[in-house]
Amino acid sequence: MKEALYLQVKNVIAKRIKDGVWKANMAIPTEVELIEEFQVSRTTIRQAISLLVQEGVLEKRQGKGTFVKSHELIEQLGHLTGFAEESIKRGFKPGSRLIKWEIKENLMYEKSLLNRLKEEEKILVIERVRFMDHIPVAVERTYWPEEIGNIHLKEDLNTVNYYEVLEKNEILLKKAKQQISAVNASVYDAELLGIEPGTALLEMTRVSYGIDGKPIEYAKTRYRTDYYKYNITLKR
Amino acid sequence: MKEALYLQVKNVIAKRIKDGVWKANMAIPTEVELIEEFQVSRTTIRQAISLLVQEGVLEKRQGKGTFVKSHELIEQLGHLTGFAEESIKRGFKPGSRLIKWEIKENLMYEKSLLNRLKEEEKILVIERVRFMDHIPVAVERTYWPEEIGNIHLKEDLNTVNYYEVLEKNEILLKKAKQQISAVNASVYDAELLGIEPGTALLEMTRVSYGIDGKPIEYAKTRYRTDYYKYNITLKR
DNA sequence: AAGTGGTCTAGACCACTTG
DNA sequence: AAGTGGTCTAGACCACTTG
């Protein structure tokens, strides 16, 4: 079955905004211009635009035109992003530094979360500090089943983007369950982040699942809240 | 200026549903029948219906017809169910206790978030402690524009469910923007929650918007993380 | 096969914004 | 006055659901 015309148009427009061809606060072409470009009726153009308005990507102003909304408003619940993607979206340069990695045999709690309790498999633990523009913003501890860990160990752990590597190896993530809490910074955390021990940190605990529904990663990250907060848009 | 045709049609349909002429789970007349009754084009009928679908009053099923949604099927925003669900899931009974309420004139920051800076309107501030059974779990501060605040002041602020009251008064929420951070408990927070000052708390800041897109509520809630965490499922 | 909503066209006039 | 999106019409064919 072919995709509806108005959805095709919608996707092209959405892509241009995502790629920065049409930037925030700029007017997109008028309806008449879009009719000519896509060779479709005005109804179809308006249907496509109307969807993007509903999603908060575009905004119409009568008599003036249709405008791209600033990025902050686009963020939606339901998108799975890593730290790097998140930083860039906020205008910071993401970075990281490896603290240590180990292969462990007896992490029963983590193995149970990864659903590998019965297996012989070992767990790779990687600990890194994450940066935004040279400012240490988070301490990240990720736990990987050995078979997947071995893929990461071929990379430079200081710079590796885990999700890109997984994607390159055709291991695709489908969903993640995330739990958000708050903790007081330990002396160890505080030293890595350059803050006072006891400072309240945002703690994000995540289990990511592959297309087959099997857990792939368990991660626990503690963020400084002066540089990172978590934004969600809830809809009815 | 005369009201647009599709809005007139929409209002007639909405009234019939409200008055019970067309009841929950029943199909409303087909588009062709509505065209004949109102003597307007199909586009106009569809525009009217589309608005009601967006508001959660109607539901379309291709090939079958357009149906009135049952009131209890209209989904609540995640935040409310969040606290209640979590409480009940853990076998606790959710409750609350009023600490104080005030009507303020000069809350510039809160007024700007509620988009009422230019207006004379005052702001109602309500501060409550939220309980699971008899354990104080969160300190909640909500800010309401005066006109909406006056609705709440008719209720018992110790037990009132804000969103139920709004719904009864036909003020429906469409979406909310929520920001999650972590803070160290102040002496004041600590006393209300029965914890040590400095303990890390999860801070949830929320602005809720009505169907017309105007902000209705600004809320700031601080949760003890030993009793409440925030769970999300993310999808690619 | 008949009925429903889903998609799409071509065209018209209106209301708002700006030079 | 010219350009923008807002409203509205009449009509066509398609995709899905049910008898």
Side-chain angles (χ1 to χ4, degrees):
Chain A
M1 196 187 71
K2 237 179 55 187
E3 199 177 31
L5 251 181
Y6 75 94
L7 288 174
Q8 294 175 38
V9 172
K10 182 207 145 186
N11 290 332
V12 171
I13 294 176
K15 190 167 188 318
R16 286 189 191 162
I17 292 166
K18 204 184 139 207
D19 294 349
V21 180
W22 295 337
K23 294 193 171 55
N25 303 313
M26 272 177 49
I28 67 168
T30 68
E31 294 183 350
V32 174
E33 287 168 336
L34 292 170
I35 286 164
E36 277 159 16
E37 179 187 346
F38 290 103
Q39 290 293 307
V40 298
S41 74
R42 192 164 165 216
T43 309
T44 302
I45 293 292
R46 284 178 65 80
Q47 241 175 322
I49 287 176
S50 152
L51 274 180
L52 290 165
V53 168
Q54 238 177 282
E55 291 177 16
V57 175
L58 291 176
E59 182 182 12
K60 289 179 166 196
R61 299 181 206 153
Q62 194 177 7
K64 290 174 145 186
T66 301
F67 296 79
V68 179
K69 267 204 175 182
S70 62
H71 254 283
E72 183 263 320
L73 293 173
I74 300 174
E75 200 168 334
Q76 298 230 355
L77 177 64
H79 192 64
L80 186 55
T81 52
F83 181 87
E85 290 170 59
E86 198 70 30
S87 297
I88 291 163
K89 205 158 66 182
R90 286 157 198 261
F92 290 103
K93 199 171 151 244
S96 52
R97 194 181 81 230
L98 176 67
I99 304 300
K100 66 178 175 204
W101 64 268
E102 294 172 277
I103 292 177
K104 295 267 208 174
E105 286 196 58
N106 290 316
L107 297 172
M108 283 320 179
Y109 176 67
E110 287 77 4
K111 274 177 100 164
S112 76
L113 284 173
L114 290 171
N115 221 351
R116 316 259 171 161
L117 254 188
K118 291 171 207 151
E119 301 172 36
E120 285 300 306
E121 218 165 9
K122 293 165 187 158
I123 301 289
L124 169 67
V125 188
I126 307 175
E127 190 176 311
R128 305 197 298 184
V129 174
R130 309 297 319 251
F131 292 84
M132 285 184 176
D133 287 351
H134 304 111
I135 300 155
V137 172
V139 180
E140 168 200 271
R141 217 166 274 121
T142 49
Y143 301 80
W144 308 89
E146 198 177 16
E147 59 175 324
I148 293 170
N150 285 334
I151 299 172
H152 290 315
L153 287 177
K154 290 180 199 146
E155 310 281 330
D156 177 357
L157 294 179
N158 272 295
T159 55
V160 65
N161 178 327
Y162 298 132
Y163 304 105
E164 272 178 18
V165 169
L166 292 178
E167 216 165 303
K168 255 193 299 184
N169 286 271
E170 277 156 41
I171 299 168
L172 297 177
L173 298 183
K174 191 181 148 202
K175 64 167 188 176
K177 282 188 199 161
Q178 202 158 284
Q179 189 175 66
I180 303 177
S181 183
V183 294
N184 294 101
S186 68
V187 172
Y188 183 77
D189 294 333
E191 199 164 313
L192 289 174
L193 294 175
I195 54 172
E196 288 297 310
T199 306
L201 300 176
L202 198 61
E203 183 179 77
M204 211 95 83
T205 304
R206 179 176 65 237
V207 180
S208 303
Y209 300 82
I211 307 253
D212 57 1
K214 280 175 76 175
I216 286 178
E217 170 211 35
Y218 168 63
K220 193 186 263 286
T221 309
R222 296 176 171 189
Y223 295 91
R224 286 172 62 170
T225 59
D226 46 356
Y227 280 93
Y228 184 91
K229 293 180 205 288
Y230 195 86
N231 289 291
I232 310 174
T233 297
L234 301 167
K235 284 182 181 172
R236 253 203 336 145
Chain B
M1 194 190 75
K2 238 179 57 187
E3 198 176 34
L5 250 181
Y6 75 95
L7 288 175
Q8 294 175 38
V9 171
K10 182 207 146 185
N11 290 333
V12 171
I13 294 176
K15 190 166 188 321
R16 285 186 192 163
I17 291 165
K18 204 186 136 201
D19 294 348
V21 181
W22 295 337
K23 293 194 172 56
N25 303 314
M26 271 178 47
I28 68 169
T30 68
E31 294 183 350
V32 174
E33 287 168 337
L34 292 170
I35 286 165
E36 279 159 15
E37 180 187 345
F38 290 100
Q39 291 293 307
V40 297
S41 74
R42 193 165 164 213
T43 309
T44 302
I45 294 294
R46 285 179 65 81
Q47 243 174 319
I49 287 176
S50 152
L51 274 179
L52 290 165
V53 167
Q54 237 176 282
E55 291 178 17
V57 175
L58 290 177
E59 182 181 13
K60 290 178 163 198
R61 300 181 205 151
Q62 193 177 6
K64 290 174 146 186
T66 302
F67 295 79
V68 180
K69 263 201 176 182
S70 61
H71 221 274
E72 54 282 1
L73 275 182
I74 298 177
E75 261 179 38
Q76 289 283 324
L77 280 173
H79 55 254
L80 234 209
T81 42
F83 188 85
E85 252 174 35
E86 191 69 21
S87 301
I88 291 158
K89 196 166 70 185
R90 289 161 163 262
F92 293 111
K93 203 176 145 232
S96 52
R97 192 181 83 231
L98 177 67
I99 303 302
K100 66 177 174 204
W101 65 269
E102 293 173 277
I103 291 175
K104 295 267 208 175
E105 285 196 57
N106 291 316
L107 298 172
M108 284 320 176
Y109 176 67
E110 286 78 4
K111 276 177 100 165
S112 76
L113 284 172
L114 290 171
N115 222 349
R116 318 258 171 162
L117 253 189
K118 290 170 208 152
E119 302 170 36
E120 285 300 305
E121 218 165 11
K122 294 165 187 155
I123 301 290
L124 170 66
V125 187
I126 307 175
E127 190 178 311
R128 304 196 301 184
V129 174
R130 308 285 320 248
F131 291 85
M132 286 184 175
D133 280 351
H134 297 294
I135 303 155
V137 171
V139 181
E140 168 199 271
R141 217 168 273 121
T142 50
Y143 301 80
W144 307 89
E146 199 177 14
E147 59 176 323
I148 293 169
N150 286 334
I151 299 172
H152 290 315
L153 287 178
K154 291 179 197 145
E155 310 280 331
D156 177 356
L157 293 180
N158 272 296
T159 55
V160 64
N161 179 327
Y162 299 132
Y163 305 101
E164 272 179 17
V165 169
L166 292 178
E167 206 169 316
K168 254 194 297 184
N169 286 271
E170 277 156 41
I171 299 168
L172 297 177
L173 298 183
K174 190 181 152 202
K175 64 169 186 174
K177 283 187 204 163
Q178 201 157 286
Q179 188 173 68
I180 303 176
S181 184
V183 295
N184 294 101
S186 68
V187 172
Y188 182 77
D189 294 334
E191 199 164 313
L192 289 174
L193 295 175
I195 54 172
E196 287 298 310
T199 306
L201 300 176
L202 198 62
E203 183 178 78
M204 211 93 84
T205 303
R206 177 178 68 239
V207 180
S208 303
Y209 300 83
I211 306 247
D212 57 3
K214 279 175 75 175
I216 285 178
E217 170 211 35
Y218 168 62
K220 195 186 261 289
T221 310
R222 296 177 170 187
Y223 296 91
R224 285 173 62 171
T225 59
D226 47 355
Y227 281 92
Y228 183 86
K229 293 179 204 288
Y230 195 86
N231 289 290
I232 310 173
T233 297
L234 302 167
K235 284 175 189 167
R236 258 294 180 202

